[in-house]
Amino acid sequence: MPLPARLRTAGPPLAVLAGGLAGSAYLWTRNPHLPGQMLPFCPWRKVTGLDCPGCGGTRMTYDLLHGDFATAWHDNAALLLSLPLVALLYLTWLRHGLAGRSWRPTLGRGGTAAVLGTAVAWTVLRNLLL
């Protein structure tokens, strides 16, 4: 397959990789556990005072980058547990892209319901019990 065609399919996953590496390099130098670190905030939490399913994700990533798995678990256990699946999906996308094939995962109705149900359950659990 010609290089331009491969770049068309491999470009998006490689761009996500580059963005992730750049974001990780920036986050490495900031401590989201401290105030005033020029990091994004959660609009849901700002408006409601409640944690959304992703709240703590920046702190979790910072802790993982610094090898502190226990604190990462405390910051957002659900996101931490989902990382292997996210990595598998990303690697599949990258593999297909490098081979010159387009790939898009499909959840279907059951998968969508499972993801949304898990997010809602995690949100309720962490705001009522934790």
Side-chain angles (χ1 to χ4, degrees):
M1 175 168 275
L3 184 61
R6 281 191 186 205
L7 287 178
R8 211 172 20 255
T9 57
L14 291 174
V16 167
L17 178 62
L21 291 174
S24 295
Y26 178 78
L27 186 57
W28 177 266
T29 65
R30 306 289 186 259
N31 185 345
H33 297 282
L34 302 175
Q37 295 296 309
M38 302 250 326
L39 292 167
F41 65 90
C42 175
W44 174 262
R45 187 171 190 184
K46 196 85 147 165
V47 171
T48 67
L50 299 171
D51 288 336
C52 78
C55 277
T58 303
R59 292 187 309 272
M60 180 203 72
T61 304
Y62 173 85
D63 295 330
L64 285 178
L65 288 171
H66 290 85
D68 189 352
F69 295 100
T71 306
W73 176 265
H74 175 72
D75 290 333
N76 195 319
L79 280 181
L80 187 60
L81 289 172
S82 72
L83 286 181
L85 177 61
V86 171
L88 177 65
L89 289 170
Y90 174 76
L91 291 173
T92 302
W93 183 33
L94 179 62
R95 182 175 50 89
H96 281 275
L98 291 173
R101 295 184 305 266
S102 182
W103 182 77
R104 175 182 246 171
T106 55
L107 285 176
R109 293 178 73 184
T112 301
V115 169
L116 291 176
T118 301
V120 168
W122 173 239
T123 301
V124 170
L125 175 73
R126 73 187 312 200
N127 283 296
L128 291 180
L129 301 177
L130 303 177

